[in-house]
Amino acid sequence: MPRLTDRPIADLVHHQTPVVASPRGTVQAACRAMKENRVGCVLVVDRGRLCGIFTGRDAVALLAEGADSASLRLAGVMTRNPMTLAPGATALQALRCMQDGGFRHVPIVDGDKVVGVVSRGDFRAMEHARLDEETGLWERL
């Protein structure tokens, strides 16, 4: 069995439909989409191409400053041209990317097509599943 860190991140995103928004969308709409989908970010896509990312951390910072989320457009507050990885990247590469960049989410892009997003939480879930599997093996011995 391959180690957790050697697994391709495509394993994490193959059933995923990422939450996306237009750069013309509002912060309020993006926050609503994050809440409804129980995710920590929205990928900002224009004409089918990733152009930015907006996260829960971004939303908290804006609201703390008193921003009007109903009228504020994502284009003005998103992180432009975020760091991305290809589906063939390993989990370890994704974790290093997040650690080095100081962020929690990395969009996964295949050519120009957005195929998903990985977060630190995804790796916790993978590790828990692996521990459950190993525990099951020990119990059968």
Side-chain angles (χ1 to χ4, degrees), residues 54-96:
F54 182 77
T55 69
R57 281 181 167 179
D58 297 328
V60 168
L62 289 168
L63 295 175
E65 295 172 1
D68 177 11
S69 67
S71 63
L72 195 58
R73 302 286 172 201
L74 289 174
V77 297
M78 67 185 183
T79 299
R80 293 181 180 281
N81 304 313
M83 173 78 67
T84 64
L85 290 172
T90 64
L92 182 58
Q93 289 171 307
L95 287 165
R96 282 187 180 146

Side-chain angles (χ1 to χ4, degrees), residues 2-138:
R3 292 183 329 196
L4 168 70
T5 53
D6 294 334
R7 292 179 60 188
I9 51 178
D11 290 355
L12 291 172
V13 300
H14 70 282
H15 291 299
Q16 196 180 84
T17 302
V19 178
V20 298
S22 162
R24 293 167 294 288
T26 65
V27 167
Q28 183 179 48
C31 290
R32 186 176 297 119
M34 285 189 282
K35 179 180 183 245
E36 289 171 357
N37 291 281
R38 299 177 53 114
V39 296
C41 74
V42 171
L43 301 180
V44 185
V45 176
D46 192 24
R47 295 183 207 110
R49 298 187 78 174
L50 179 71
C51 61
I53 188 169
F54 182 77
T55 69
R57 281 181 167 179
D58 297 328
V60 168
L62 289 168
L63 295 175
E65 295 172 1
D68 177 11
S69 67
S71 63
L72 195 58
R73 302 286 172 201
L74 289 174
V77 297
M78 67 185 183
T79 299
R80 293 181 180 281
N81 304 313
M83 173 78 67
T84 64
L85 290 172
T90 64
L92 182 58
Q93 289 171 307
L95 287 165
R96 282 187 180 146
C97 180
M98 286 184 266
Q99 178 67 33
D100 293 348
F103 40 82
R104 297 180 186 172
H105 302 89
V106 178
I108 308 305
V109 180
D110 191 4
D112 286 340
K113 184 180 182 216
V114 174
V115 295
V117 61
V118 292
S119 72
R120 289 183 193 254
D122 293 327
F123 298 106
R124 280 193 297 276
M126 285 175 64
E127 187 61 24
H128 285 281
R130 178 152 180 146
L131 288 172
D132 288 346
E133 181 180 320
E134 288 176 7
T135 300
L137 289 172
W138 282 109

